[in-house]
Each structure stands twice: as structure tokens, then as C-alpha cells.
């Protein structure tokens, strides 16, 4: 299996089954899952903590394996939260991407980190 | 479009195009993206900060819309990091789920939060 | 030594010495330290991840010891960042407390979590 | 007032009074406060998200003011958690610093980020 064949729905189903078989719905509440995502995000970040931005671009195979597991954990808990909230995650992503396209028009923000930050801080003013 | 039709690959492609059109590859480095995921995770958590675990289960439609956008942001940045690292994210998720299945055998951990925590703290000993 | 005798200045001095003796100023940059604080905050959170809000109030001595170490780490990195930025941290705290007193007048917000959340979401409107 | 004159105890007392006057002890539970610290840490991080490590060293006065407020928030919630848990925070910090001194002997780790990471990943083996 792979990115080309696997739908969000399929991943959500597998996660729902995993949680249900363990009777863990009682722990996988929105409040707890938001904490879990944040904790896994910090574990991912830990790999880059003392690297320069440049160094973070060339990683050893071992680090890359660890990082792929942390990234998987983040998305796994995001799938579980989508299940709990009965959200269509693909839909939410596509809608957010569309919103971002309007918010950061490519001709205006191309290659500009200053602009990017500027627009971020002026959310809503620039739409 | 929806969870049933959308593959991880398709979402990654859309994100790669969005980043490329803005010449933002220079900012979307692993170190920066790990920070972005963590920041979005905190914005998600903010919605649940002062709620009890129970209250977090019944959310107003407005809150639910905000939450779906935060969750989308988390996965969007995760897709971008997968692109940068040339990771097969679906594969990483499926492998991690398999690892978790072995780590938390359903007959052993069913409905037990204490056990769950216990096993978490004893990572590696229980495999 | 103890809370009653120890000034912020003294803790900052000890941390500056620790960093300087290891020639770690090069790693203790604001960007990196902001990541460190966030990572330690997640490690603190991990202790409460699967507990109810109520359960989090009565902790075992072992957990309490771990938690006090995580909390120490958070403040240690905050002291180091204050050193780098040459901030008077006590001053910043006292000013922020004063700002919060004006923002959340006690007669208006007393015992109200709804109000609390409400005021938080309406930052600036309520001053 | 300032870092030179202000003890941890004094800051804790002021925070306890602030919380008590608003009857907010019911919300300032360990689980919630750990989330608050993490959320504020992310808000701090947001200022450095798209900067290089170098850029993060020279900040505009406006950014510096915002950053000092975020840092204050982090320590404010840490004080509140110390109050709830009846921890002597200065003691916890001094003990953790002593532990770190043993863990990272200055002659061994001086100026070495690789070693630093290495030692971090080998917690416990190197004591």
C-alpha cells in the first residue's frame, strides 16, 4: 500500500477499528486527543531542536525513520479526532487549502518570507 | 471530494503545488515545519483548554468549524513535511499502526487506561 | 534555598554560568530556546494526557517528582531566554499580571469559566 | 521591582491572589495548566517560526515586547501550577540544575552540539 492508493477514509477506518478493539473510545476524547497531537508534535520537534535550519535538511537514515514514526503518530491522532467529531478530513483540508490560496495570492507573496509573516499577522485584513 | 475518494498522494500533490507556486520551499524546511505543526496543534488545544473532558465531547457548530480548520492545518503541514522528506506517509501510518497493535495487544489493554499509561511508560519492555 | 529566598536574578545568574561553562550560547538562541520550552511543556503535559481533570488533582509522589522536574525544565529554559534577550523577567511577569487584572476584572469574571473563555476570545474588546 | 529583588515566593503569592480573587482554582487544575503552558509556549514559538536561527538573534523592539509577554505567560502558569501542587519551584530548579551539571560535565560537552544531542538521547547511561 502507499500514498497513491490509500484514501483518508481507509486510514480512518483502520484507526476506528484499532480504538474500538481496545475499548479506548473513552480515552480518545477531543480534549485528550488535542493533547496527544501536541505531545507527538513536540516529539517530532525534538529531532530538530539543536540543528540549524540548514542542518535540518540533511538527515541520517536513522533520524529519518524516527521522524517518520513521529509524523505518523501526529496524523494517527488527527484521524482519531476526525472520527470522534465525524469530520470529513479531506474536505476540511481541501477547504483550508482554498482559503489559504485566497489569503496568500501567489503573485503577491512569491518568495517573500517577510510578506508571509506580515500576512499571517494581518489575518483577515488581506482578504 | 471526500475522505472516501481522496488519497494521501493527491493531498500531497496539491500541497506541493501550493508551496511551489509561492516559492516557499525555502521556508518549508523540516525544522520550521516541525514548529508549524506544533503551533497549529496548540491552536487546536486552545479550544479545549478550559473544558472538562466531558464538555469537550459536545461542541457548538461554530467551535466545530474552527476545530476542523486547526486540524486541517496540522495535517497540511504534515503533508508538506512528508513532501520535503520524500516520505510515503500512508506507509508510515500503516507501519506505525502495526507496531502499535503489537505493542498494545487488545486482549491485554482492553478498556484499561491505567494499563495504557503503564505500557506507555514501559515502551520496549512489552514487545 | 527556597522560593522565599531565591530571586529571579539569582536563578538567571546560575543558568548563565551553566550555559557559559559549556560554551552553549551558540545553541541557546531564541529560536532554539522557544522550541525547548515547548518540548518541555509537552513532556509535562504527557503526565496528564489520559487523566480526567479531576484525576489530575491527586498525583502519586513519583509522578509529582517527575512533574516538578519537567516544570523546572520549562522555567530553566525561560530563564536562559531571558538572559539572551536581556529581559527583566520579574518585571515582565508583574506587568503581565497587571494587564490581566485589567482585562479580567474580578467582579466581572468571578467563578465563570464561560466568561473566562468569552473574554479570552474577545481579547482587546473588553478593556 | 525587578529580577534582583523579586523572589519566586513573592510571584507565587501574587498569582495565588489573582486566581483566588476570581475563584478560578476550579479551572487551574494540573491538567488544564499543563495545556496552558504548552499553548503559551507555542505562541512564543510563533515569533520565531519562519526566521533562521541567526535572524532570531536580532529582534525588533515590538517583537521583543510581544515575546516578553509570551514568556511572562509561560512562567505565570508555571507559578500557578507550583501553587496548586505546593511545590517549591526554586528548589526544583536548583535540583534540576545540579542534575544537569552531573549529566553534562563541562569538560566533556564544551561547545559540542553533537555531544549534547548524543547525551540527551542517552539519558541515564552517562551519569
Amino acid at each position: 500500500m502507499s500514498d497513491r492508493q490509500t484514501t483518508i477514509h481507509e486510514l480512518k477506518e483502520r484507526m476506528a477499528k484499532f480504538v474500538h478493539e481496545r475499548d479506548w473510545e473513552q480515552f480518545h476524547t477531543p480534549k485528550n486527543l488535542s493533547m496527544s497531537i501536541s505531545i507527538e508534535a513536540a516529539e517530532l520537534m525534538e529531532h530538530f531542536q539543536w540543528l540549524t535550519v540548514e542542518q535540518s535538511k540533511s538527515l541520517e537514515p536513522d533520524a529519518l525513520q524516527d521522524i517518520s514514526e513521529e509524523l505518523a503518530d501526529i496524523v494517527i491522532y488527527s484521524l482519531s479526532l476526525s472520527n470522534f467529531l465525524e469530520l470529513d478530513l479531506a474536505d476540511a483540508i481541501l477547504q483550508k487549502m482554498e482559503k489559504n490560496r485566497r489569503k496568500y495570492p501567489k503573485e503577491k507573496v512569491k518568495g517573500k518570507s517577510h510578506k508571509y509573516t506580515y500576512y499571517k499577522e494581518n489575518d483577515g485584513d488581506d482578504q
Side-chain angles (χ1 to χ4, degrees), chain A residues 43-100:
Chain A
E43 290 180 7
L44 173 67
M45 219 167 33
E46 214 172 339
H47 290 277
F48 305 113
Q49 184 175 14
W50 304 112
L51 305 181
T52 64
V53 171
E54 274 311 303
Q55 287 169 337
S56 83
K57 291 186 190 176
S58 44
L59 300 159
E60 301 291 322
D62 274 10
L64 203 57
Q65 173 60 28
D66 289 351
I67 285 163
S68 83
E69 292 197 22
E70 303 298 0
L71 199 52
D73 279 331
I74 291 164
V75 182
I76 281 170
Y77 282 124
S78 301
L79 294 165
S80 199
L81 183 51
S82 299
N83 278 332
F84 191 102
L85 300 174
E86 299 182 358
L87 279 180
D88 190 305
L89 183 58
D91 233 37
I93 290 170
L94 294 167
Q95 280 178 33
K96 194 65 204 296
M97 282 181 176
E98 183 50 36
K99 196 173 174 177
N100 286 340

Side-chain angles (χ1 to χ4, degrees), chain A residues 17-44:
Chain A
K17 188 163 172 272
F18 177 84
V19 172
H20 185 69
E21 284 176 350
R22 280 154 192 79
D23 194 16
W24 280 356
E25 285 94 345
Q26 58 189 306
F27 310 120
H28 277 223
T29 58
K31 179 162 178 147
N32 288 355
L33 287 171
S34 74
M35 294 174 81
S36 305
I37 294 170
S38 193
I39 290 165
E40 298 299 336
E43 290 180 7
L44 173 67

Side-chain angles (χ1 to χ4, degrees), chain A residues 104-121:
Chain A
Y104 307 108
K106 58 188 173 192
E107 57 281 2
K108 252 173 112 180
V109 303
K110 199 163 184 172
K112 295 177 191 167
S113 82
H114 175 70
K115 281 291 178 194
Y116 187 83
T117 314
Y118 173 78
Y119 286 143
K120 266 203 90 74
E121 283 167 359

